[in-house]
Amino acid sequence: MTLLHSVLSLVLSWTGLCSVLYIFSTGLVAVVALWTVRLLLRHTWYSHRLSCFSKPQTRSWLLGHLGKSTEEGLQQVDDLVQTYKHSCCWFLGPFYHLVRLFHPDYVKPLLMAPASITVKDELIYHHLRPWLGHSLLISNGEVWSRKRRLLTPAFHFDILKNYIAVFNSSSKIMHDKWCRLVAEGKTNLEMFDHVSLMTLDSLLKCAFSYDSNCQESSSEYVSAIVELNDLATRRQENILHHWDWIYWKTQQGKRFKQALNTVHRFTRDVVQKRRTFLSQQRETETQSDVALTARRRKDFVDIILLTKDEDGKGLTDEEIQAEANTFMFAGHDTTASAICWTLYNLAQNTNASLRLHSPVPGVTRKYTQDMVLPGNRTVQQEFDPLHFDPSNKKSQASHAFIPFSSGPRFSFSIQP
């Protein structure tokens, strides 16, 4: 007891407190120094191993191409294709090291690789995980395979045909609004805003049988979806926000969580109410009711609630919520982008809008084994993700045009 009292007195004294702080600060500096050295050594190693690929001009050896992934950077993709023809390496500071592929001969062997060795990287998809969970879009391995089998029926052409009336109705609302605005003297319209609301309106009706009236009035859920899209894009552009422990303390991170709560609450309520309804319906329906129910148009949530795997097991509520959130995220923005570019290209008296302006600017992958590219270039399995620029406007090869990815990881028409 006396010894303990002596130790505590020493530690709590001014001299002892200074010693503790000195030891703590020295340890902290040592940890930061070791992390920095490891980061720089890793950057040097990647720079050397990727030297077989051409490298566009960088800001510096350390920063690489950091800061060039903005909208202005996207406009430079055509210049990259013209200059480097098939591929180039791309560094985002010392943190991320990518190989960008443009030529179909380089893209094809990678996208056609078995799904078992192809995984979604964390560069982009990690930031979507709080929103989309372990959905089909960002899962891997057996989890991905099972969900792919379960969700495929929801995208059958015969099912999608039933939604045409919904699409037409939502488009008419948008067109009527345009006519009203023009009659009021409006001479300029931000098309993407209007088209995004139309695609969200359509998806809410198709996915949840929910009429939000979002094209004519504000909707808390729709506003949250739009904000999450915007915040996810902004996070990509700020390298410091790639670390969760920094991002969640920022104002943007707090806004993201607030919008996330709104979206998850809405989806959770819809899924739980629909599961309860379907359960009660099965208990009370007669034979004639069964036939009537079979003829009734089912929405996306209905279909994935009823689907079962070979063992008779369906998706949990959490899994269904993740897929529904992914459906809304991956469906509305890409569709709105494609429609807007189509309108633009029609105004320019041209066609092939998706080839000219792909709604998904790029997809990324990592591989669990070495992959050989033309010219005996080898992508090591330890390398960070490969980035595929989807539209080679001149080539007619099978993998020159991949607006929504290709190969085993091609996930229907809305998910890259």
Side-chain angles (χ1 to χ4, degrees):
M1 195 68 180
T2 305
L3 178 61
L4 179 61
H5 183 269
S6 301
V7 172
L8 288 175
S9 299
L10 178 62
V11 170
L12 295 177
S13 67
W14 178 251
T15 304
L17 185 61
C18 289
S19 299
V20 171
L21 290 175
Y22 174 77
I23 293 172
F24 175 78
S25 59
T26 302
L28 183 61
V29 170
V31 170
V32 172
L34 286 173
W35 180 82
T36 303
V37 169
R38 179 182 177 277
L39 185 68
L40 294 177
L41 288 175
R42 178 177 176 272
H43 181 50
T44 302
W45 186 82
Y46 274 125
S47 299
H48 171 70
R49 293 306 299 266
L50 291 176
S51 60
C52 59
F53 294 94
S54 301
K55 182 171 71 172
Q57 184 177 359
T58 61
R59 294 174 179 269
S60 68
W61 173 82
L62 184 62
L63 295 178
H65 306 94
L66 192 63
K68 292 191 175 184
S69 297
T70 59
E71 183 175 350
E72 181 182 354
L74 290 176
Q75 295 172 351
Q76 297 171 355
V77 171
D78 281 349
D79 294 334
L80 287 177
V81 175
Q82 294 298 322
T83 303
Y84 299 102
K85 306 302 181 184
H86 52 73
S87 61
C88 68
C89 59
W90 198 260
F91 301 152
L92 300 180
F95 309 106
Y96 297 109
H97 306 79
L98 302 89
V99 177
R100 302 186 70 162
L101 305 178
F102 315 119
H103 197 280
D105 290 345
Y106 283 67
V107 172
K108 184 175 180 178
L110 294 173
L111 288 183
M112 297 305 292
S116 59
I117 67 169
T118 307
V119 298
K120 292 295 184 75
D121 72 279
E122 296 296 297
L123 173 60
I124 295 175
Y125 301 108
H126 168 71
H127 304 152
L128 298 175
R129 202 174 297 282
W131 181 4
L132 308 181
H134 294 279
S135 65
L136 180 69
L137 179 65
I138 52 183
S139 59
N140 294 299
E142 182 54 36
V143 174
W144 174 84
S145 298
R146 177 177 180 269
K147 290 186 175 181
R148 176 65 186 256
R149 294 193 300 271
L150 286 170
L151 290 173
T152 296
F155 294 89
H156 193 280
F157 283 117
D158 288 340
I159 291 177
L160 297 179
K161 288 177 184 177
N162 295 325
Y163 296 139
I164 292 177
V166 175
F167 301 153
N168 289 340
S169 173
S170 297
S171 299
K172 186 177 186 304
I173 293 173
M174 179 179 68
H175 183 262
D176 290 345
K177 184 167 65 171
W178 287 352
C179 292
R180 185 175 69 250
L181 291 172
V182 171
E184 294 171 356
K186 191 80 171 179
T187 57
N188 293 295
L189 297 175
E190 176 49 65
M191 300 297 290
F192 189 77
D193 291 345
H194 288 269
V195 176
S196 292
L197 287 175
M198 184 273 290
T199 57
L200 277 168
D201 189 20
S202 298
L203 284 174
L204 283 168
K205 293 172 182 174
C206 296
F208 305 124
S209 297
Y210 177 74
D211 189 355
S212 66
N213 195 34
C214 63
Q215 296 194 71
E216 298 290 355
S217 61
S218 61
S219 163
E220 183 184 27
Y221 173 78
V222 169
S223 298
I225 287 281
V226 172
E227 183 164 35
L228 286 175
N229 267 330
D230 179 57
L231 291 172
T233 301
R234 291 189 191 182
R235 187 177 183 183
Q236 292 293 322
E237 297 169 357
N238 188 331
I239 197 70
L240 293 178
H241 286 181
H242 285 212
W243 285 280
D244 288 344
W245 62 275
I246 294 178
Y247 182 67
W248 299 125
K249 291 180 175 62
T250 66
Q251 198 61 37
Q252 285 189 24
K254 293 174 182 177
R255 286 171 53 200
F256 191 96
K257 280 189 175 181
Q258 185 176 1
L260 196 62
N261 289 335
T262 299
V263 169
H264 283 179
R265 183 173 60 251
F266 174 87
T267 311
R268 182 173 58 252
D269 290 346
V270 168
V271 171
Q272 290 176 350
K273 289 178 181 177
R274 193 64 56 80
R275 187 183 287 279
T276 300
F277 171 77
L278 291 174
S279 178
Q280 293 173 345
Q281 188 180 53
R282 281 195 298 267
E283 293 175 358
T284 60
E285 66 186 1
T286 63
Q287 195 66 32
S288 59
D289 292 331
V290 173
L292 183 63
T293 302
R295 291 195 298 270
R296 182 181 67 84
R297 178 179 65 81
K298 295 182 176 68
D299 60 29
F300 181 73
V301 171
D302 283 334
I303 294 169
I304 59 179
L305 273 168
L306 295 170
T307 188
K308 306 288 184 184
D309 61 18
E310 55 273 15
D311 297 324
K313 295 180 180 179
L315 296 169
T316 66
D317 281 2
E318 290 76 15
E319 290 175 321
I320 293 173
Q321 291 164 30
E323 301 305 336
N325 287 328
T326 299
F327 186 77
M328 296 301 301
F329 160 74
H332 94 272
D333 193 69
T334 52
T335 306
S337 175
I339 291 173
C340 287
W341 280 118
T342 299
L343 293 172
Y344 171 82
N345 288 315
L346 286 173
Q348 299 294 315
N349 298 314
T350 187
N351 53 17
S353 181
L354 285 176
R355 184 179 295 276
L356 291 169
H357 300 99
S358 176
V360 178
V363 296
T364 55
R365 297 288 187 272
K366 291 179 71 173
Y367 293 85
T368 59
Q369 69 181 45
D370 294 355
M371 301 296 295
V372 179
L373 298 176
N376 289 323
R377 293 178 173 86
T378 300
V379 177
Q380 305 290 332
Q381 68 182 64
E382 296 88 357
F383 281 176
D384 273 316
L386 291 106
H387 180 283
F388 306 108
D389 291 290
S391 180
N392 186 319
K393 300 178 178 63
K394 294 183 179 180
S395 174
Q396 298 300 312
S398 62
H399 281 68
F401 175 51
I402 49 169
F404 292 103
S405 187
S406 180
R409 288 302 307 242
F410 172 69
S411 301
F412 314 116
S413 61
I414 64 166
Q415 299 173 4

